[in-house]
Amino acid sequence: MEWNPQTLQFLSQCFLDTLSPQPEPRRRAEKNLSDAADTSNYGLAVLRLVAEPSVDEQIRQSAAVNFKNHLKTRWVPSSATPISDAEKEQIKQLIVPLMLSASPKIQAQLSEALAVIGNHDFPKLWPALLPELKSNLETALNASDFASVNGILATVNSLFKKFRHQYKSDPILLDLKYCLDNFAAPLLSTVESISVKINAAAALAATLRQLIEAQRLCCRIFYSLNYLDLPEFFEDNADKWMSQFKNYLTMRYPAVEDSGADGLALVDELRAAVCDNISHYMEKEEELFQKYLSGFVEAVWSLLVVASASPSRERLTVTAIKFLTIVSTSVHHALFAGDEILQQITQSIVIPNVMLRDEDEELFEMNYVEFIRRDMEGSDLDTRRRIACELLKGIAGNYKDKITERVSAQIHNCLALFAENPAANWKYKDCAIYLVVSLATKKAGGASVSTDLVDVESFFRSVIVPELQGQDVNAFPMLKAGALKFFTMFRVLIPKPIAMALLGDVVRFLSSDVNVVHSYAASCIEKLLLVKDNGVQSRYTSLDIGPMLLVLMTNLFGALEKPESEENQYIMRCIMRVLQIADISPEVASPCITGLTTVLNRVCENPKNPVFNHCLFEAIATLVRRACEKNPSLVPAFETCLLPSLQMILAKEVTEFFPYAFQLLAQLVDLNRPPVPPHYMQIFDILLTPDLWDKSANVPALVRLLQSFLQQAPNELNRDGRLRNVLGIFNKLVSKPSTEEQGFHVLNPIIENLGYDVMAEYMSHIWSSLFTRLQNSKTPRLVRCLIILMSLFLVKHGIQTLIDSINSVQANLFHLILEQIWIPNLKTITGNTEVKLSAVASTKLLCESPLLLDPAAEKLWGNLLDGIVTLLSQPEEERVEDEPEVPDFGEATGYQATFVRLHNAGKKEEDPLKEIRDPKHFSVALLANLSAQFRGRFPPIIARYVSPANQAALLQLCNSYNLTIA
């Protein structure tokens, strides 16, 4: 794209049209720009448009945004249509001076664009950048051009941020050294220069705002440069830095702070950045920081007492408390030991920050998902409420009794204030509950918690139960949510009779119109059903929830109809859990499958909540398994409900749900007795479509469904070339390390369920492809799968058939496979059924094959017996080494659905040797019988080829079954 008046006109008109409220010109302009972006020098042309002063500011701003996004997708050489090196060099020459001369909004976009370039090219491919920025910074400071100063500092901050997000490595440390060598000293001189200018501009609000923002950016650059290690330059100049930092914590700037909320926020952002820096130094270099500590603690403390009383100063409050928390857990914890200080902390810092604020109530009402994420799921570490409690925990590490005494007193005080006027003072009760819950100590590895602040059972009866028994499920919803959270948190400590008496009330709260309340009620029920006594026995069973099951399920499905809870993951998780535990009668099963199918049809329109969707499919799988296995007469009704939905998923190509749909279809196929109904055979033919198998996420679920068809309808394989198609799928899967195991899951049911006459013509090709794959890319998993396959073939179709079919590929190939693959790797087989199958097949081979009973094969015989004894006598962990997962790099990158196994739709493990209960007994008995026929022949072979440890193990096995090898 050449830069000329026509290009200027074309681009200007396009960017103007992108701002149009009319969809047609907007779409046309976006299409024209998208096409133009593929031409060379497009980015350069857009940048020149941004620099053109005659063009309207709005058009230039839109162009700057487009330029930034263009660089994001095309600067990296590996992108689909990368920007040429020549164009890149011209962009680099233009962008810095243009950014410095641009208006603030355009400057912000160009600064981000420059950071995009820097993330890839800086410093190695753009060595001129930092010297240029440094020179421009000095010029701008001398000219008091603070807009340019901030533009440069914002750019440097973006460039240096990478040091906060990467692990130490030689290349990163080299980049850091380059930045330190070029910018550490200028950064300090900039901070000192701006500090002087701040003092001189104390009454000039507009200038002061720019200078305070400049110092904030300097503090963030300081943080980035010190993140990986504390550089020598900063340690040598620590006095200067700490003096500046303390100054910003203690000074007031009335011209800015008193000008409105945004002015105070600007100054607080600077102070918060300082708190981040001193917290970092306290953690990284406590010894160096020690001499500054008491002064900073005093400064932060003074700020915090004032900030805690103001609802708008969240960021400063959180970073300040974090700093005090770090100090409280260090060797300097004695700074907090005084009774008066502890009283001040609980009364002036903790309680004000734990008390609910207007913004908490607003979040509760307007964004329940985010409220729960913070409140229930512990992502609120950067909120006042949680961080205040973390400070108490930090101090309690050394002064537990003192903290317990004071917090307990505050809890009682809050409850007393609530009792005086419950309607007006409900927030005090919420504060008391929050303190108990947040300061509870969790036991490692379990759901149990404990607290020294209150007697849990007594607190539960007097404080929590009245809220749970309140008849209006919508009244004082934040208190109700707090009570339900307490019940959930301390569920293990609440005796079963008390919990059961209140379970009906919790079920009632599912009908609340308040999203957080019915979500917490569902979570409480779900977590109660998971409680185990002594870590083994479920405390709550189907008998406990049976009497209220119909009401419970009605209320749960009712909650899914509430506004904004249509895809409430806490409700669906509870439905799933109840269905896993309850005794499901037809009266319950029918409305449940109808309700779940209705929800499924709704989410198919626009799947957007992966957790909800997984719980939904798991709930369906659970219901199918537990209801239909108990009562097969329900299968037709379930199919009537489910099959149209599953077919719709396939027809509408809701690809996110394909893996789930295939697993549920497999479950339904398993429930049908042969012959499989015709409508399923239509799905079987769809299943053989090659395109379906191209997506790796589909493969495990498709294999699961194919296994079901192969077991339920093996005779159908003979029709319409299906067997050839299935074997084509097997070949495709086994050709890649990432899916090779799935390939065997397809082949094994064919070997197990079809007569040899049906598959005989294909066996030579199957063995040939497997051995070729083995020769080209041998993996431990492939070898194990091959041994299991040969073992299955042997027990189903006979030893000689196995030997002959393998030798049809190449003369005496079976002998080679036995010697080099089967015997050396027999010990690596895992899984009860697989070990049994391999041991029995190997023993039959040992005792019944003429090949091994030939006297010339005594070494082979002895080695095979050694492998069998290892397999039967040694535990898995002693004989098998873990192998790394094999990633598959063959597929195109980009968004793909992922396979998530449905626990309740899993395939039941089939034992092909049900008639053999004890493989050890079977193997030893067959061996003893053989030795009786050839007395004296085998003991010398055993002594020579079986290891001493395995000889002892074999003797022990023989003694266990009162058998001998003579």
Side-chain angles (χ1 to χ4, degrees):
M1 179 175 278
E2 289 185 26
W3 181 247
N4 52 41
Q6 291 78 17
T7 300
L8 176 63
Q9 175 59 33
F10 167 73
L11 290 175
S12 298
Q13 188 61 50
C14 284
F15 285 119
L16 178 63
D17 287 345
T18 61
L19 303 173
S20 170
Q22 301 300 319
E24 184 50 41
R26 191 171 65 246
R27 276 197 290 264
R28 186 173 61 249
E30 288 168 354
K31 172 73 166 59
N32 288 339
L33 288 171
S34 176
D35 292 343
D38 291 331
T39 61
S40 62
N41 293 322
Y42 168 80
L44 187 60
V46 174
L47 186 61
R48 284 184 167 141
L49 168 64
V50 174
E52 189 60 52
S54 62
V55 177
D56 181 77
E57 173 83 7
Q58 267 195 313
I59 293 174
R60 292 164 62 207
Q61 193 177 328
S62 176
V65 172
N66 179 273
F67 174 73
K68 174 190 72 178
N69 293 332
H70 180 72
L71 297 194
K72 281 182 178 178
T73 57
R74 297 169 191 255
W75 192 269
V76 179
S78 59
S79 55
T81 50
I83 297 170
S84 70
D85 290 342
E87 184 181 354
K88 284 181 177 180
E89 286 306 314
Q90 291 186 70
I91 287 172
K92 286 177 184 177
Q93 288 171 17
L94 290 174
I95 191 167
V96 175
L98 177 55
M99 180 196 73
L100 296 178
S101 62
S103 62
K105 288 183 178 177
I106 293 176
Q107 187 180 76
Q109 296 300 326
L110 294 179
S111 177
E112 285 186 44
L114 199 152
V116 170
I117 302 172
N119 284 338
H120 183 265
D121 286 15
F122 178 78
K124 292 182 180 63
L125 300 178
W126 200 358
L129 175 60
L130 200 53
E132 184 179 2
L133 290 172
K134 185 170 66 172
S135 171
N136 282 314
L137 177 62
E138 188 177 342
T139 302
L141 270 172
N142 291 335
S144 294
D145 179 3
F146 303 127
S148 293
V149 166
N150 285 351
I152 296 164
L153 290 174
T155 302
V156 174
N157 183 37
S158 295
L159 290 171
F160 290 1
K161 270 182 186 176
K162 71 176 184 177
F163 299 121
R164 300 185 217 163
H165 308 299
Q166 301 199 33
Y167 292 108
K168 273 188 191 179
S169 64
D170 288 343
I172 285 294
L173 291 175
L174 278 173
D175 287 356
L176 177 60
K177 184 179 184 305
Y178 171 84
C179 295
L180 287 166
D181 290 346
N182 281 276
F183 207 76
L187 179 64
L188 178 56
S189 61
T190 299
V191 167
E192 291 177 327
S193 172
I194 291 172
S195 183
V196 172
K197 293 177 187 294
I198 285 176
N199 293 332
L204 304 172
T207 303
L208 202 52
R209 279 173 175 266
Q210 290 180 314
L211 291 169
I212 287 170
E213 172 61 11
Q215 287 298 54
R216 185 193 71 81
L217 289 167
C218 288
C219 284
R220 298 314 288 159
I221 294 168
F222 176 96
Y223 188 74
S224 297
L225 292 176
N226 283 268
Y227 191 84
L228 291 171
D229 263 326
L230 302 191
E232 187 178 343
F233 175 84
F234 289 96
E235 289 189 11
D236 292 345
N237 291 278
D239 285 348
K240 293 178 182 178
W241 284 107
M242 297 307 153
S243 172
Q244 293 291 338
F245 291 159
K246 189 176 176 186
N247 191 38
Y248 297 132
L249 293 178
T250 53
M251 285 286 289
R252 282 196 81 251
Y253 306 95
V256 176
E257 291 184 63
D258 299 342
S259 65
D262 63 328
L264 180 60
L266 183 70
V267 179
D268 277 356
E269 282 295 325
L270 169 58
R271 291 166 177 153
V274 169
C275 286
D276 281 338
N277 288 344
I278 60 177
S279 293
H280 186 65
Y281 261 63
M282 184 65 199
E283 285 184 307
K284 283 271 188 181
E285 193 58 74
E286 194 175 317
E287 189 177 335
L288 170 71
F289 193 71
Q290 183 175 348
K291 68 176 181 177
Y292 313 109
L293 182 59
S294 60
F296 275 115
V297 168
E298 186 181 339
V300 170
W301 181 283
S302 302
L303 259 182
L304 193 52
V305 171
V306 177
S308 294
S310 172
S312 62
R313 306 179 76 177
E314 177 107 356
R315 167 118 168 85
L316 174 60
T317 303
V318 169
T319 53
I321 294 177
K322 272 186 179 176
F323 171 69
L324 295 182
T325 304
I326 292 168
V327 177
S328 75
T329 56
S330 73
V331 296
H332 306 287
H333 55 76
L335 289 167
F336 300 96
D339 290 344
E340 190 179 330
I341 291 175
L342 291 176
Q343 185 62 27
Q344 257 193 302
I345 286 173
T346 52
Q347 195 167 327
S348 302
I349 294 178
V350 174
I351 297 299
N353 282 299
V354 169
M355 287 291 288
L356 284 170
R357 298 165 185 270
D358 291 344
E359 51 265 41
D360 297 320
E361 293 183 71
E362 185 178 325
L363 189 66
F364 182 91
E365 292 169 9
M366 305 302 291
N367 189 347
Y368 84 93
V369 174
E370 179 60 20
F371 181 89
I372 295 173
R373 194 177 70 84
R374 293 184 183 185
D375 186 55
M376 180 83 89
E377 297 179 4
S379 68
D380 60 342
L381 212 54
D382 284 337
T383 64
R384 291 172 178 252
R385 298 191 98 190
R386 176 59 68 91
I387 202 70
C389 291
E390 291 302 311
L391 174 59
L392 284 180
K393 286 181 182 177
I395 299 171
N398 294 291
Y399 308 103
K400 184 178 180 181
D401 292 342
K402 289 183 177 184
I403 288 292
T404 301
E405 179 188 338
R406 280 159 182 76
V407 176
S408 296
Q410 291 295 336
I411 289 169
H412 286 112
N413 185 45
C414 286
L415 293 174
L417 287 168
F418 168 77
E420 287 175 11
N421 188 342
N425 293 345
W426 64 269
K427 288 184 181 179
Y428 286 101
K429 184 172 185 178
D430 174 85
C431 180
I433 295 171
Y434 187 88
L435 283 169
V436 177
V437 169
S438 296
L439 296 173
T441 306
K442 292 187 178 181
K443 302 270 179 73
S448 185
V449 294
S450 63
T451 181
D452 296 319
L453 295 172
V454 295
D455 175 76
V456 172
E457 199 171 325
S458 171
F459 188 87
F460 186 73
R461 288 179 188 275
S462 61
V463 178
I464 304 301
V465 169
E467 296 302 328
L468 297 179
Q469 291 180 335
Q471 291 308 298
D472 186 349
V473 294
N474 295 313
F476 296 103
M478 296 191 86
L479 261 187
K480 299 293 188 290
L484 288 164
K485 184 182 175 185
F486 185 97
F487 193 179
T488 306
M489 175 71 83
F490 290 98
R491 61 192 178 276
V492 176
L493 300 180
I494 308 297
K496 182 175 178 178
I498 297 174
M500 283 304 303
L502 291 163
L503 192 55
D505 290 305
V506 180
V507 170
R508 194 164 44 83
F509 277 108
L510 291 169
S511 63
S512 171
D513 293 329
V514 182
N515 299 97
V516 174
V517 173
H518 59 240
S519 299
Y520 277 20
S523 183
C524 182
I525 294 165
E526 193 248 335
K527 295 288 195 296
L528 276 173
L529 296 178
L530 289 172
V531 173
K532 295 188 184 298
D533 290 321
N534 303 318
V536 180
Q537 186 68 39
S538 294
R539 184 181 294 181
Y540 302 95
T541 66
S542 58
L543 294 175
D544 296 314
I545 58 174
M548 63 184 79
L549 183 59
L550 207 51
V551 177
L552 171 57
M553 298 311 293
T554 301
N555 285 6
L556 282 167
F557 280 105
L560 288 175
E561 300 300 320
K562 304 279 185 187
E564 295 186 38
S565 272
E566 296 88 352
E567 294 186 32
N568 186 316
Q569 67 193 53
Y570 307 98
I571 301 290
M572 189 51 72
R573 194 190 297 274
C574 185
I575 291 173
M576 176 190 76
R577 194 73 63 206
V578 171
L579 292 174
Q580 287 173 353
I581 289 169
D583 187 10
I584 303 169
S585 65
E587 292 74 28
V588 173
S590 180
C592 282
I593 193 63
T594 303
L596 289 170
T597 307
T598 302
V599 175
L600 176 57
N601 291 339
R602 188 170 66 217
V603 298
C604 279
E605 297 300 320
N606 182 21
K608 55 181 182 284
N609 186 337
V611 177
F612 176 86
N613 295 337
H614 179 76
C615 292
L616 167 62
F617 280 102
E618 194 69 80
I620 295 171
T622 303
L623 186 59
V624 171
R625 180 176 66 84
R626 301 197 70 243
C628 295
E629 286 183 6
K630 179 183 174 185
N631 190 345
S633 65
L634 290 172
V635 172
F638 272 49
E639 288 178 332
T640 303
C641 264
L642 271 178
L643 281 176
S645 301
L646 299 179
Q647 287 166 337
M648 178 184 71
I649 289 170
L650 300 180
K652 289 190 173 182
E653 295 193 355
V654 188
T655 52
E656 299 96 320
F657 290 169
F658 274 15
Y660 291 123
F662 295 137
Q663 290 177 83
L664 289 179
L665 284 167
Q667 213 180 357
L668 292 173
V669 171
D670 287 344
L671 288 167
N672 277 273
R673 292 189 176 87
V676 173
H679 54 266
Y680 280 114
M681 294 315 299
Q682 293 172 1
I683 294 170
F684 186 19
D685 290 330
I686 294 171
L687 178 62
L688 301 180
T689 308
D691 290 351
L692 271 181
W693 296 83
D694 288 338
K695 294 263 176 60
S696 60
N698 290 344
V699 170
L702 285 168
V703 168
R704 165 76 179 89
L705 178 54
L706 189 51
Q707 283 178 303
S708 296
F709 276 117
L710 294 175
Q711 287 183 333
Q712 296 293 90
N715 295 329
E716 296 290 339
L717 279 178
N718 290 335
R719 301 178 187 174
D720 305 322
R722 286 174 179 148
L723 180 55
R724 189 178 295 277
N725 289 337
V726 171
L727 290 174
I729 289 167
F730 154 74
N731 265 332
K732 182 173 186 173
L733 295 177
V734 87
S735 67
K736 291 194 291 187
S738 60
T739 56
E740 63 190 9
E741 192 169 20
Q742 300 293 339
F744 284 95
H745 290 332
V746 171
L747 186 57
N748 288 350
I750 296 174
I751 301 298
E752 187 174 354
N753 293 292
L754 290 186
Y756 185 68
D757 57 325
V758 177
M759 56 185 165
E761 63 178 292
Y762 302 104
M763 284 314 302
S764 178
H765 175 73
I766 290 170
W767 293 127
S768 179
S769 63
L770 283 174
F771 297 144
T772 302
R773 168 81 172 79
L774 193 67
Q775 194 172 11
N776 294 337
S777 180
K778 181 179 172 184
T779 66
R781 182 165 50 193
L782 177 66
V783 169
R784 285 200 303 271
C785 289
L786 183 59
I787 293 171
I788 292 164
L789 173 70
M790 292 189 293
S791 298
L792 181 64
F793 191 107
L794 185 151
V795 300
K796 287 295 176 183
H797 304 293
I799 296 170
Q800 201 55 46
T801 308
L802 173 67
I803 295 172
D804 292 345
S805 68
I806 290 178
N807 284 343
S808 70
V809 177
Q810 179 185 313
N812 297 319
L813 180 58
F814 179 77
H815 186 283
L816 193 67
I817 294 295
L818 181 65
E819 185 177 32
Q820 295 185 8
I821 302 296
W822 192 320
I823 292 174
N825 297 286
L826 182 59
K827 66 179 181 181
T828 66
I829 304 300
T830 59
N832 292 337
T833 303
E834 290 82 358
V835 166
K836 176 182 177 181
L837 175 63
S838 304
V840 168
S842 299
T843 307
K844 287 173 77 69
L845 194 59
L846 188 78
C847 299
E848 297 174 5
S849 167
L851 173 69
L852 280 152
L853 293 175
D854 186 329
E858 69 170 37
K859 181 181 178 184
L860 209 58
W861 191 95
N863 289 340
L864 180 56
L865 177 59
D866 192 53
I868 294 169
V869 176
T870 300
L871 186 66
L872 291 174
S873 63
Q874 288 186 22
E876 235 174 65
E877 60 271 15
E878 289 182 17
R879 56 183 173 81
V880 180
E881 293 180 9
D882 289 336
E883 63 178 290
E885 284 298 313
V886 180
D888 182 9
F889 298 107
E891 296 192 12
T893 56
Y895 172 75
Q896 290 186 338
T898 54
F899 172 74
V900 182
R901 189 174 74 88
L902 291 174
H903 177 74
N904 286 280
K907 182 171 162 36
K908 286 186 177 177
E909 190 172 52
E910 295 289 335
D911 183 354
L913 296 169
K914 295 185 185 74
E915 69 279 8
I916 298 173
R917 294 194 172 185
D918 183 353
K920 293 179 181 178
H921 185 206
F922 174 88
S923 299
V924 175
L926 206 59
L927 192 58
N929 185 49
L930 178 69
S931 71
Q933 297 173 44
F934 301 92
R935 283 189 172 276
R937 176 177 168 182
F938 296 108
I941 299 175
I942 292 170
R944 186 173 181 184
Y945 295 109
V946 177
S947 71
N950 280 348
Q951 289 180 43
L954 179 60
L955 181 61
Q956 191 174 354
L957 283 170
C958 289
N959 292 338
S960 301
Y961 299 108
N962 199 24
L963 295 166
T964 56
I965 299 172

